[in-house]
Amino acid sequence: MRPIDLRSDTLTRPTPAMRRAMAEAEVGDDVYGEDPTVNRLEALAAEMLGLESALFLPTGTMANQVALLLHLPRGAEVVVPEGAHLYEYELGAPALLAGALVRPVPAPYGVPDLEALQGALRPGPFQAPTGLLALENTHNLAGGTVVPLEVQEAFLRLAQAHRLPTHLDGARLFNAATFLGVEAARLARGFTTAMVSLSKGLGAPVGSLLLLPKALLPEARRYRKLLGGGWRQAGVLAAAGLLALTEGPKHLERDHALARTLAQGLLRLGLEVDPQAVQTNMVYARVKDPQGFLARLRAQGVLAGAVGGRVRFVTHRDLRDEEIPEALRRVEAALQAKAP
């Protein structure tokens, strides 16, 4: 029985075209800025997303942490929507690396409550000062949900009024753009820095991009090196990233459609799924015993994950259309099976 893997969109394998591009990539030493393929990737990303420059890094976590190091004096706060990846899943890195505190604010469906955001700002002198406002789009823990354009614009106006820099954790920014029917640049516009992952829905094997002003680029390169991210002939990876940026977004609408089909099927099977949260390529289900349910799913050849006390299913490019109906048949069998 062939497993159906719905744990994450990071599971995609490089396409044959990516493998050819990687094998044929022109390379140099990127620490010296001499890898032509990395340079092309960074220039393309900056052009596509409308920021002045870009930096290629191994992971989204590293890109987020470089952004925090760029923006925050030690002891300052970054304000984030509750459940943000920066707060929940980066291993306390803001405190460890940047000496920063993270202040979450209420964010139903991943959309920050603007009144709560205003109230979270700390000018001092008796509290840690607010140094950065960060947004996550799509918001993973909320279900892969998308921040509406009008909320994003109000968020940016608030930051501007308080003369605060902003960072966009856009690991799945192209998913958000696909859902809203706009160019990804529309969602990156106005942020001081932005991160985009190439190895999630876009299908590259490795890598994320930090978009930033040219004036911050030398310092960002220094922090990347400090964190162990100075790589050499990285063009073999950037070559796949170029195809991820240019070809990857074309597949996202299908991923979203597969997620909607999966969510509808899970609802018919009696699982607790919030349809309002199924906006992109994730489906979260509440079950009484997530680990036991995951074990029964594995026995039926379906792989999913436990995130935030719920079971998460993620659709991606490598799934075949017929695997969603088959996954639902296997979920039904798991529901009927007795707990081991």
Side-chain angles (χ1 to χ4, degrees):
M1 180 168 56
R2 183 178 186 272
I4 300 174
D5 202 332
L6 296 162
R7 287 174 296 169
S8 178
D9 49 4
T10 61
L11 295 160
T12 57
R13 305 294 180 90
T15 63
M18 281 184 181
R19 291 179 184 272
R20 287 193 299 272
M22 293 168 76
E24 297 168 3
E26 185 182 4
V27 298
D29 191 324
D30 183 52
V31 169
Y32 290 101
E34 294 174 357
D35 190 299
T37 309
V38 171
N39 293 342
R40 284 198 298 273
L41 172 64
E42 292 173 343
L44 175 64
E47 180 183 354
M48 286 181 68
L49 293 168
L51 276 82
E52 289 181 348
S53 60
L55 182 64
F56 187 38
L57 299 101
T59 69
T61 294
M62 185 183 286
N64 280 339
Q65 295 310 314
V66 169
L68 265 58
L69 286 162
L70 289 171
H71 293 307
L72 290 169
R74 297 189 71 82
E77 285 190 344
V78 51
V79 182
V80 303
E82 62 185 348
H85 195 279
L86 270 170
Y87 181 58
E88 298 282 355
Y89 296 114
E90 299 194 5
L91 292 86
L96 182 65
L97 300 175
L101 295 89
V102 182
R103 181 175 294 276
V105 298
Y109 291 101
V111 180
D113 181 302
L114 294 173
E115 281 191 22
L117 182 64
Q118 172 75 61
L121 302 184
R122 300 287 189 262
F126 302 112
Q127 294 171 299
T130 304
L132 176 67
L133 301 187
L135 196 66
E136 185 174 331
N137 199 14
T138 64
H139 193 295
N140 181 354
L141 203 56
T145 51
V146 177
V147 178
L149 285 170
E150 60 273 18
V151 174
Q152 175 179 302
E153 289 165 359
F155 173 94
L156 292 170
R157 286 196 300 271
L158 179 64
Q160 185 176 29
H162 290 270
R163 298 182 180 179
L164 289 168
T166 52
H167 176 64
L168 173 62
D169 180 348
R172 295 179 174 89
L173 189 67
F174 284 87
N175 290 85
T178 298
F179 176 79
L180 292 173
V182 300
E183 296 294 326
R186 177 67 185 81
L187 301 183
R189 184 189 307 164
F191 285 89
T192 316
T193 55
M195 184 274 283
V196 173
S197 175
L198 301 172
S199 60
K200 294 188 170 68
L202 301 184
V206 175
S208 291
L209 291 154
L210 179 63
L211 290 300
L212 69 170
K214 283 184 180 178
L216 294 179
L217 184 59
E219 191 75 349
R221 291 182 67 89
R222 186 177 79 86
Y223 281 130
R224 183 184 68 171
K225 185 74 165 62
L226 182 150
L227 296 176
W231 41 17
R232 303 299 178 175
Q233 288 72 36
V236 293
L237 300 173
L242 283 163
L243 285 172
L245 271 185
T246 54
E247 300 297 322
K250 300 174 185 177
H251 301 276
L252 296 179
E253 180 51 52
R254 174 181 174 271
D255 292 353
H256 297 181
L258 291 178
R260 291 192 296 270
T261 299
L262 178 63
Q264 292 160 6
L266 294 174
L267 281 166
R268 287 195 297 271
L269 293 174
L271 288 178
E272 185 182 341
V273 173
D274 182 355
Q276 186 177 340
V278 184
Q279 298 177 9
T280 55
N281 66 327
M282 296 184 185
V283 182
Y284 279 82
R286 292 192 179 276
V287 297
K288 289 183 179 179
D289 177 14
Q291 293 301 330
F293 181 58
L294 287 172
R296 294 195 294 278
L297 284 179
R298 283 195 299 272
Q300 297 294 331
V302 174
L303 302 178
V307 179
R310 296 166 291 165
V311 172
R312 187 185 75 166
F313 303 86
V314 185
T315 55
H316 51 82
R317 187 199 60 208
D318 282 8
L319 291 169
R320 300 194 301 266
D321 289 353
E322 62 270 19
E323 287 185 298
I324 296 301
E326 176 60 25
L328 289 167
R329 285 191 286 271
R330 297 183 189 184
V331 171
E332 184 174 20
L335 290 168
Q336 293 171 352
K338 292 183 179 179

